[in-house]
Amino acid sequence: MATQAPDHVTGPQQIPARLAQREPSSIFAPWPDRLRSSALILLVAGLVLAALAIFGELQAARAVAAFVCIACAALVPWRLHNVDASSPEALGGNPVEAPAVSAMVAGMPDPSMLLDRAGRVIHLNAAAAQLAPALRKNELAQFALRSPEIITALRQAISTLEPQRVSFHDHGPVDRWMELSIAPVTVPTMFGGKDTCMLMTFHDQTPLRRIEEMRADFVANASHELRTPLAALSGFIDTLQGPARDDPKARDRFLGIMHAQATRMARLIDDLLSLSRVELSAHVRPNAQVDLIPIIRQVADGLEVLAKERQVKIETELPDGPAMIAGDREELLRLFENLIENALKYGASGGRVIVALTTASAPEGTPEIQVRVRDFGPGIPPEHLPRLTERFYRVSVGDSRAQGGTGLGLSLVKHILNRHRGRLVIESVPQEGATFTACFPQARASAAQ
Ligand code: ADP
């Protein structure tokens, strides 16, 4: 989003422009006060000495010598005062208003500002002005930055001249976690001197914090998912060692349940490992040329047993020729396995699952291969559709567990498609079934050959 910097923000070009904007009200108006007084003294002295010389009261050479002495007396202290570089009046602003310093602050990517040792703002960039719109040049920064953490850190930095780093929570219209670093820096002044200023830089830590929160949620969810079958397993072990020790019927039944729970745990660990593998290689696009048709056939054939068990017929509508994409065979097997297995598990009541491959145009007009997995089961209520690919998200946790689900299948599908630079489209009309379409960019003819 393009944002415009307010007028008071210093950009690299702004100092000459600001000086040029001043409208002098008199001949001396644009001059600093002390220089203006000196010029007035010189003018008066010049006129008096000239009059005395004209009326013969003073020799011309003496008059000139007297004028030079008066000029030195008037101008030298003014010059010394400015070489000292401590006067904020020089040129009407802070002596640190050197274009190079200003350009450096303006060019910093994070919100940044330079303060003098009194805590007054000398320069600030557009990002800082956006972060704290009340900041004004030549005003104390603490008036605009009211957070006690910032003020304490700034006081500390000014008094000790040691760098400071502080984190704080910014309760603005959007809650943010910010980190502020204050570094004392020595900057050149306009008249060849040096001054120590405070460089304040803010870093937005919110995205990092969000990732940390997501990671913590993920670990909590994964532990919870693993603990459930583990608790069941240890419960049955206790029963088999105790009350059911001599009951062969109960033992067989419990062993069956334990087997199912152990399988679920193994599947969950498998899915977690696959997910982390795909995430690790997310930025590397697979480059092997693979034909999707035999992959889809292999998955459909492998799921025939499950389909028979659920009394569902798998119908494939695949073209005769190859359908080449740049892909990873193992990941694609996993992707279609998840989609077709979900259709068999959750859409079993429809009795049919159609797997069709077609070529079409992506919304941006590029050719793509679309593999549609359609079932005729109960479908998915629309409010769940946007969240289906989140890890551990399920429409009904009980249903998913009963089907041996982990809640990770569609998340894995999404990540595999991302790695293949593809996309997943989910459509569903409740009571009429669900359609999951995996779209892949089509391999260029030359690459496919
Ligand atoms: P799970 O391991 O629970 O199957 P998935 O990530 O594969 O996890 O699916 C997430 C949820 O999406 C499932 O729990 C289920 O509620 C819903 N879902 C997935 N596919 C279908 C489908 N074809 N019909 C209805 N609901 C589905």
Side-chain angles (χ1 to χ4, degrees):
M1 193 174 64
T3 50
Q4 218 167 356
D7 292 343
H8 62 274
V9 179
T10 303
Q13 309 302 324
Q14 277 172 298
I15 290 169
R18 190 171 54 73
L19 288 175
Q21 276 165 12
R22 287 207 198 163
E23 289 290 333
S25 57
S26 77
I27 183 172
F28 299 125
W31 298 9
D33 286 348
R34 279 164 191 265
L35 185 57
R36 204 182 313 156
S37 318
S38 305
L40 275 171
I41 293 168
L42 282 181
L43 186 68
V44 174
L47 287 174
V48 172
L49 288 170
L52 289 174
I54 288 167
F55 293 114
E57 296 294 325
L58 195 63
Q59 264 183 10
R62 284 190 185 158
V64 170
F67 183 78
V68 170
C69 289
I70 294 170
C72 289
L75 288 176
V76 168
W78 174 82
R79 174 70 185 145
L80 285 178
H81 174 82
N82 285 291
V83 169
D84 180 11
S86 57
S87 161
E89 301 114 60
L91 288 173
N94 195 294
V96 183
E97 278 187 352
V101 177
S102 162
M104 206 186 69
V105 177
M108 289 180 77
D110 285 320
S112 311
M113 68 186 105
L114 193 69
L115 310 185
D116 65 14
R117 285 190 61 184
R120 258 192 312 263
V121 180
I122 306 171
H123 296 298
L124 75 160
N125 64 7
Q130 204 182 348
L131 180 75
L135 279 170
R136 291 283 176 277
K137 281 185 73 179
N138 296 321
E139 283 182 17
L140 290 176
Q142 69 196 56
F143 292 154
L145 306 167
R146 286 164 185 270
S147 160
E149 293 95 335
I150 302 180
I151 294 170
T152 312
L154 183 57
R155 284 203 187 124
Q156 194 86 359
I158 289 173
S159 62
T160 62
L161 291 185
E162 295 279 338
Q164 304 289 322
R165 196 174 277 270
V166 63
S167 292
F168 64 97
H169 197 181
D170 179 24
H171 300 278
V174 182
D175 267 14
R176 281 183 297 188
W177 280 100
M178 303 295 290
E179 190 187 66
L180 162 69
S181 75
I182 308 177
V185 286
T186 306
V187 290
T189 58
M190 284 192 119
F191 303 98
K194 282 184 179 158
D195 211 353
T196 302
C197 297
M198 301 294 139
L199 181 63
M200 290 176 84
T201 337
F202 294 84
H203 308 279
D204 191 351
Q205 300 280 315
T206 321
L208 264 181
R209 288 253 177 177
R210 294 236 165 93
I211 291 173
E212 267 169 33
E213 276 169 17
M214 273 167 63
R215 214 179 281 271
D217 281 356
F218 177 69
V219 172
N221 277 327
S223 320
H224 175 76
E225 290 294 328
L226 281 170
R227 199 178 298 129
T228 314
L230 203 60
L233 278 176
S234 63
F236 284 119
I237 290 170
D238 285 349
T239 318
L240 285 173
Q241 285 174 333
R245 181 191 288 268
D246 300 318
D247 183 345
K249 247 178 147 181
R251 193 179 55 211
D252 284 352
R253 197 162 65 83
F254 292 160
L255 282 175
I257 301 172
M258 287 166 74
H259 182 259
Q261 295 294 348
T263 311
R264 198 177 136 211
M265 276 177 74
R267 188 163 182 183
L268 182 62
I269 291 168
D270 251 23
D271 280 357
L272 284 171
L273 287 176
S274 306
L275 202 54
S276 97
R277 242 193 321 268
V278 177
E279 274 187 329
L280 275 179
S281 55
H283 54 283
V284 189
R285 191 179 174 179
N287 55 12
Q289 290 298 315
V290 290
D291 183 358
L292 287 178
I293 310 277
I295 294 178
I296 296 170
R297 280 198 203 287
Q298 184 180 337
V299 175
D301 291 347
L303 287 170
E304 264 312 319
V305 178
L306 179 69
K308 278 215 174 75
E309 213 176 84
R310 305 286 160 114
Q311 298 177 344
V312 180
K313 190 170 168 3
I314 302 178
E315 298 167 18
T316 49
E317 295 171 7
L318 305 171
D320 294 332
M324 304 303 291
I325 64 159
D328 180 310
R329 208 184 120 74
E330 288 307 312
E331 287 183 8
L332 293 167
L333 281 168
R334 210 65 210 266
L335 183 154
F336 294 121
E337 216 170 73
N338 269 302
L339 291 183
I340 302 175
E341 201 180 310
N342 275 354
L344 293 174
K345 286 189 315 194
Y346 302 108
S349 58
R352 281 170 80 197
V353 167
I354 300 174
V355 184
L357 186 148
T358 50
T359 46
S361 274
E364 35 326 327
T366 50
E368 63 179 15
I369 293 179
Q370 300 185 341
V371 182
R372 194 165 286 118
V373 179
R374 163 141 208 230
D375 69 66
F376 299 86
I380 306 162
E383 66 272 20
H384 295 287
L385 294 182
R387 300 196 58 191
L388 281 187
T389 55
E390 282 176 25
R391 290 163 199 197
F392 298 112
Y393 189 84
R394 288 169 275 202
V395 174
S396 151
V397 177
D399 232 20
S400 158
R401 288 213 178 124
Q403 302 283 1
T406 60
L408 292 174
L410 289 178
S411 175
L412 190 58
V413 165
K414 185 186 78 178
H415 278 90
I416 294 175
L417 276 168
N418 283 350
R419 188 173 169 228
H420 285 74
R421 308 296 183 260
R423 60 199 175 95
L424 178 68
V425 181
I426 309 175
E427 296 154 300
S428 176
V429 177
Q431 307 313 323
E432 287 184 22
T435 306
F436 289 75
T437 309
C439 310
F440 303 90
Q442 201 166 11
R444 273 175 281 128
S446 56
Q449 278 160 18

